[in-house]
Amino acid sequence: MSDDRLGDALAAQRAAEVRRAARALLRRPLLRAGGSHADDFRLVRQHATELRTWFERNTGWGLLVDSEVARLRRIPGRADDSTHPARDQRTGLPFSRRRYVLVCLCLAVLERAEQQVALGRLAEHVVLAAADPALDAAGVQFTLADREQRTDLVAVVRLLLEWGVLTKVAGDEEAFLKSAGDALYDVDRRVLAVLLVARRGPSTVRAYGFEERLAELNAEALPDSDELRNRALRHSLTRRLLDDPVVYLEGLTENESAYLTSQRGALTRRISELTGLVPEVRAEGLAMVDPDDDLTDLRMPESGTDGHVALLVAEYLADRGGTVPLTDLHQRVAGWAVEHAGFWRRSATAPGAEAELAEQAVERLVALGLLERVAGPDGAALVRPRPALDRYRVGEAVLLEPGQSAPRKNAKTTAGRTKGTRNR
């Protein structure tokens, strides 16, 4: 092999490794040296300099890499998006307000805990912390008085296990739920130290309302020159393109829309070179589609009853167009449940199941930027298709002559949130 060909091969291999490392960070913004993602960690550490430079220049996200952890400090593109909540590791149900509070209380307790902590001991300290009058005034109470509260704590502990804050040494959470045993964990202080991502310490925030506090937590300095303003726009839009399944022009400010229109090619090219995402440009906006379908926490289509319901709802709404009452979807899902009874789970045909199935489908489609919820004049719940839903419109049948190729179809939407999005 000639020197030129060898150099090209080595350059291609390096580019492929950098891409795999970047995709690993987008899937899981916190990687540990040990465990099931150790290979991804080693790859990120090997190419840390190049990755750090790209993320700082294009998104404003810092990248911390040492011998124990790799942490992409991923500030969200939008602070008002509630469509991708933290979820129970077993049931998949979204976290309640109390569970989010328990996450914060557990982290505060673990910050002062020993190297190892028992679940029962952790629970005792969390109960003491939850007795703060400010929490009681906010309507948050936690006393371990019933199984529901124990279940909330266990769900939080399992999330901390997933993040790597805790590592199980012995015991079982189920025994704690039944008040028949306990569990022992190691506390990973390095992971605990880098878990919080904010531009300023929470204790320095003076605002009172939730939205105001969140805005102040991640507030950036106002740019005072054209160069700094353009950099802020580049950061904001690149974050949105990496985070959101679809970026609609109607959801951007006038300056963001103008910058995206003029710099669309440069923005998408840089993202594509690093991640392999492919831009899909429409008059209404832009999406970065993942051909490999592994940089999303929500897939469409997806196997199983829930996935099939979501696909049927998408096709129905794309063909129908216009705003549709949620109750209409309930009736449609009830009919589909009978039609597909042999393939869907048995509970899908139970009385009232259609409402839950329809709600889950709508929740998925809203999170993927394909639908939006609106309220009718009488307060009725309605759903409205968004432009990207047109990709699920069923086209006319095409008869092919012998030897004629089928027309190319658009790929399904796969550029949803990365799996580590909630693990900020």
Side-chain angles (χ1 to χ4, degrees):
M1 181 182 291
S2 66
D3 290 344
D4 289 343
R5 292 180 62 188
L6 177 59
D8 291 343
L10 292 175
Q13 179 181 352
R14 179 179 178 81
E17 290 180 352
V18 171
R19 175 174 294 182
R20 292 203 304 273
R23 291 174 67 91
L25 280 173
L26 291 173
R27 282 193 299 270
R28 297 184 65 87
L30 196 157
L31 295 167
R32 293 181 296 153
S36 58
H37 302 283
D39 290 341
D40 288 338
F41 170 82
R42 285 192 290 270
L43 201 59
V44 168
R45 192 178 185 193
Q46 180 181 350
H47 299 286
T49 301
E50 188 170 348
L51 292 167
R52 185 180 295 112
T53 299
W54 193 96
F55 281 115
E56 288 180 351
R57 170 174 170 73
N58 293 284
T59 65
W61 296 337
L63 176 61
L64 170 67
V65 181
D66 58 26
S67 61
E68 298 180 54
V69 297
R71 178 55 160 147
L72 181 61
R73 300 178 61 82
R74 190 169 180 172
I75 302 295
R78 291 188 299 155
D80 60 349
D81 182 9
S82 60
T83 61
H84 293 256
R87 294 186 179 273
D88 189 297
Q89 298 293 301
R90 297 288 179 89
T91 66
L93 295 175
F95 267 29
S96 62
R97 180 171 181 243
R98 182 166 64 190
R99 288 188 181 186
Y100 281 117
V101 172
L102 288 177
V103 170
C104 298
L105 293 180
C106 282
L107 293 176
V109 169
L110 291 173
E111 184 67 32
R112 299 185 294 271
E114 300 295 333
Q115 191 63 36
Q116 288 189 330
V117 63
L119 179 51
R121 186 68 172 169
L122 175 63
E124 292 173 3
H125 285 283
V126 170
V127 169
L128 291 175
D132 190 315
L135 289 177
D136 185 63
V140 178
Q141 297 180 345
F142 182 74
T143 61
L144 278 183
D146 51 41
R147 184 180 175 88
E148 180 182 355
Q149 294 191 33
R150 285 177 170 266
T151 301
D152 284 345
L153 180 61
V154 167
V156 169
V157 166
R158 285 171 176 161
L159 182 64
L160 298 181
L161 287 167
E162 170 67 17
W163 287 350
V165 176
L166 299 175
T167 301
K168 187 183 295 185
V169 176
D172 183 65
E173 294 84 22
E174 290 296 328
F176 175 81
L177 274 178
K178 300 173 183 177
S179 301
D182 208 339
L184 181 66
Y185 308 100
D186 284 334
V187 181
D188 192 322
R189 299 207 168 278
R190 189 66 187 120
V191 173
L192 186 61
V194 301
L195 190 63
L196 179 64
V197 174
R199 296 195 176 277
R200 58 186 297 179
S203 61
T204 66
V205 174
R206 300 303 178 206
Y208 182 76
F210 174 74
E211 290 78 9
E212 293 78 11
R213 289 181 63 83
L214 189 60
E216 192 173 329
L217 189 67
N218 285 319
E220 301 182 67
L222 294 176
D224 57 1
S225 68
D226 290 342
E227 180 181 354
L228 292 178
R229 279 189 285 271
N230 286 335
R231 184 180 68 178
L233 289 170
R234 181 174 70 247
H235 288 175
S236 173
L237 290 168
T238 304
R239 292 173 191 170
R240 292 284 299 274
L241 290 169
L242 287 172
D243 269 356
D244 296 351
V246 186
V247 176
Y248 290 105
L249 295 179
E250 65 180 14
L252 302 178
T253 65
E254 184 178 348
N255 288 337
E256 287 174 333
S257 181
Y259 188 88
L260 180 59
T261 301
S262 64
Q263 300 296 320
R264 183 179 64 203
L267 286 172
T268 57
R269 183 179 64 255
R270 285 193 289 265
I271 294 175
S272 295
E273 288 174 352
L274 180 76
T275 66
L277 298 176
V278 178
E280 180 178 304
V281 181
R282 292 173 177 261
E284 302 85 1
L286 176 64
M288 299 300 298
V289 179
D290 181 17
D292 295 332
D293 193 25
D294 64 358
L295 284 186
T296 177
D297 59 354
L298 289 175
R299 287 175 170 79
M300 183 71 183
E302 189 173 50
S303 60
T305 300
D306 296 331
H308 192 192
V309 173
L311 182 59
L312 290 173
V313 169
E315 291 178 346
Y316 169 69
L317 293 176
D319 288 335
R320 171 168 173 161
T323 304
V324 175
L326 191 57
T327 52
D328 179 51
L329 293 183
H330 294 175
Q331 296 173 5
R332 292 285 171 176
V333 172
W336 292 329
V338 175
E339 180 181 351
H340 302 287
F343 304 97
W344 289 8
R345 59 175 177 262
R346 292 183 179 179
S347 60
T349 55
E354 68 277 0
E356 181 181 354
L357 289 172
E359 177 60 32
Q360 290 175 349
V362 169
E363 180 182 340
R364 178 186 296 267
L365 296 174
V366 169
L368 288 171
L370 303 176
L371 289 183
E372 61 181 343
R373 299 177 187 267
V374 294
D378 57 352
L382 310 174
V383 293
R384 176 186 298 154
R386 305 194 74 182
L389 191 69
D390 280 347
R391 60 166 58 230
Y392 294 96
R393 189 186 303 276
V394 178
E396 298 293 334
V398 178
L399 297 179
L400 302 178
E401 298 295 333
Q404 183 181 0
S405 299
R408 185 177 180 181
K409 297 180 180 179
N410 289 333
K412 296 296 185 183
T413 297
T414 57
R417 299 254 183 180
T418 58
K419 288 187 176 181
T421 298
R422 294 298 99 187
N423 185 9
R424 292 196 179 103

